[in-house]
């Protein structure tokens, strides 16, 4: 590193200045002190590891910082909660310099501003590879968090936005070197991540009984929701909102879309979709039905087959 740790911390503090009044003690002390809100705390953590979640030469530090915050905020959104505070434990290798690190914090700051949360502290360490480990603390009104557990047979499965774009983005980025506007949007999603915070709260207000964010692929995450809710599903392939540059396989199995997948009573879907379009300009699509048991895909030929469990399982 081309600067001392204290010089780097001083520079980082400048990037993270002007914390809101609820932050009593922010970056730079032994620990942060914040005033809690009235609801329940919602906590999550996730690490982006070089070589496993990103290749340093293929992403900018600014995009990487944005993504590290966004993937955590997406988990908060999936509980129908609001993000409030973030912490970052950063491992830096000899291959990155102060400018790279400042850009990374710039990207985290950008994401925090976009999602109305504050980076209140963290830690710097040295290691062989870069790791960006982020913890986000959110809030939700007492008893209002939406878990994966509440889906009931007879309800409808809905999904926000479009599916498969993030995997399409990774594929298209590797293909290069020139892209059209929709391809660039897919690559941007893959590089920067996203979180559907307002959308999660809207789904909760409109009767969602179970919810999660799609991080490892529709099929795998849907199977997880069904397992925890002890229900089955009949997914309709022709109803999937496949991203404009994505394939059906990418929509079914591609990871890191960070769209919200929820179950809700059929009567709530129309009003929820109308409100979602009106408020956020984001589509909400019914893609299947909750059944008593079994994971079934109705394919494009009208044949029923077992839901492929393909997903982006890190431990597979
Ligand atoms: Mg999640």
């Amino acid at each position: 590193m081309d600067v001392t740790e204290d010089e780097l911390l001083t520079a980082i503090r400048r990037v993270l200045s002007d914390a809101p009044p609820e932050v009593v003690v922010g970056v730079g002390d032994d620990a942060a002190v914040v005033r809690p809100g009235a609801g329940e705390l919602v906590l999550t953590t996730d690490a982006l590891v070089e070589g496993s979640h990103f290749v340093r030469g293929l992403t900018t530090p600014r995009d990487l910082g944005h993504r590290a915050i966004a993937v955590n905020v997406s988990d908060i959104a999936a509980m129908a909660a609001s993000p409030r505070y973030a912490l970052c434990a950063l491992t830096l290798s000899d291959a990155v310099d102060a400018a790279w690190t400042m850009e990374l914090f710039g990207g985290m700051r950008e994401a925090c501003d976009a999602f109305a949360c504050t980076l209140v502290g963290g830690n710097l360490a040295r290691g062989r590879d870069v790791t960006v480990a982020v913890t986000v603390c959110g809030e939700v009104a007492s008893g209002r968090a939406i878990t994966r557990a509440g889906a009931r047979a007879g309800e409808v499965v809905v999904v926000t936005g479009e599916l498969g774009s993030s995997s399409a983005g990774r594929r298209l980025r590797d293909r290069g070197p020139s892209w059209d506007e929709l391809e660039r949007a897919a690559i941007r999603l893959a590089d920067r991540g996203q979180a559907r915070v307002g959308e999660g709260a809207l789904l909760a207000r409109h009767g969602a009984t179970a919810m999660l964010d799609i991080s490892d692929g529709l099929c795998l995450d849907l199977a997880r929701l069904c397992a925890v809710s002890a229900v089955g599903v009949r997914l309709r392939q022709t109803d999937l909102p496949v991203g404009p540059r994505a394939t059906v396989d990418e929509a079914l199995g591609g990871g890191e879309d960070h769209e919200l997948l929820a179950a809700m009573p059929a009567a709530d879907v129309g009003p929820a979709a109308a409100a979602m379009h009106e408020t956020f300009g984001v589509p909400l699509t019914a893609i299947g039905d909750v059944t008593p048991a079994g994971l079934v895909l109705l394919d494009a030929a009208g044949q029923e087959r077992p839901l492929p469990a393909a997903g982006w399982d890190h431990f597979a």
Side-chain angles (χ1 to χ4, degrees):
M1 186 67 67
D2 40 353
V3 298
T4 68
E5 180 167 339
D6 278 349
E7 284 168 342
L8 186 59
L9 287 171
T10 302
I12 290 168
R13 265 200 292 280
R14 263 201 303 277
V15 175
L16 303 176
S17 60
D18 45 86
E22 315 84 87
V23 178
V24 182
V25 178
V27 174
D29 218 302
D30 297 295
V33 180
V34 300
R35 286 195 197 92
E40 290 171 335
L41 295 180
V42 181
L43 305 164
T44 190
T45 190
D46 201 1
L48 297 182
V49 178
E50 182 176 356
S52 181
H53 302 100
F54 67 94
V55 177
R56 203 161 21 80
L58 293 181
T59 185
T60 67
R62 188 162 284 264
D63 285 349
L64 184 66
H66 188 282
R67 185 172 152 216
I69 295 291
V71 297
N72 279 278
V73 169
S74 180
D75 277 327
I76 299 285
M79 306 301 290
S82 302
R84 300 302 303 277
Y85 306 110
L87 296 163
C88 176
L90 181 62
T91 304
L92 296 170
S93 72
D94 291 337
V96 297
D97 59 10
W100 190 94
T101 309
M102 297 313 298
E103 277 295 299
L104 181 82
F105 275 94
M108 286 195 275
R109 172 71 199 251
E110 252 177 59
C112 282
D113 288 349
F115 300 123
C117 85
T118 308
L119 192 58
V120 292
N123 180 60
L124 294 179
R126 305 224 129 253
R128 200 169 57 91
D129 298 310
V130 173
T131 300
V132 190
V134 168
T135 298
V136 170
C137 172
E139 277 178 7
V140 68
S142 245
R144 295 296 177 86
I146 306 289
T147 69
R148 302 176 176 190
R152 290 171 299 230
E155 291 180 342
V156 170
V157 177
V158 296
V159 68
T160 59
E162 289 153 347
L163 298 173
S165 291
S166 188
S167 345
R170 290 191 293 277
R171 166 173 56 79
L172 293 162
R173 183 180 55 207
D174 295 348
R175 187 210 68 192
S178 66
W179 302 279
D180 67 26
E181 201 175 313
L182 290 169
E183 290 169 339
R184 258 196 293 274
I187 293 168
R188 185 178 162 83
L189 175 66
D191 285 344
R192 290 173 68 83
Q194 70 172 343
R196 300 284 198 197
V197 177
E199 292 88 337
L202 186 151
L203 288 171
R205 283 198 304 279
H206 281 84
T209 55
M211 183 155 67
L212 52 60
D213 68 317
I214 301 176
S215 49
D216 296 327
L218 173 66
C219 289
L220 186 58
D221 284 320
L222 184 54
R224 286 172 174 151
L225 186 145
C226 288
V228 179
S229 288
V231 294
V233 72
R234 191 164 175 274
L235 189 67
R236 294 180 301 270
Q237 184 177 315
T238 50
D239 286 345
L240 295 181
V242 181
R245 289 293 179 268
T247 65
V248 171
D249 278 352
E250 285 168 340
L252 283 168
E256 304 196 8
D257 280 323
H258 297 292
E259 296 293 353
L260 295 174
L261 181 66
M264 57 172 50
D268 291 322
V269 175
M276 187 73 75
H277 178 74
E278 166 119 342
T279 313
F280 300 108
V282 169
L284 183 74
T285 310
I287 58 171
D289 299 309
V290 183
T291 61
L295 304 171
V296 172
L297 175 70
L298 184 66
D299 70 19
Q303 300 291 311
E304 284 197 353
R305 54 190 183 102
L307 190 73
W312 202 56
D313 192 331
H314 318 267
F315 298 102

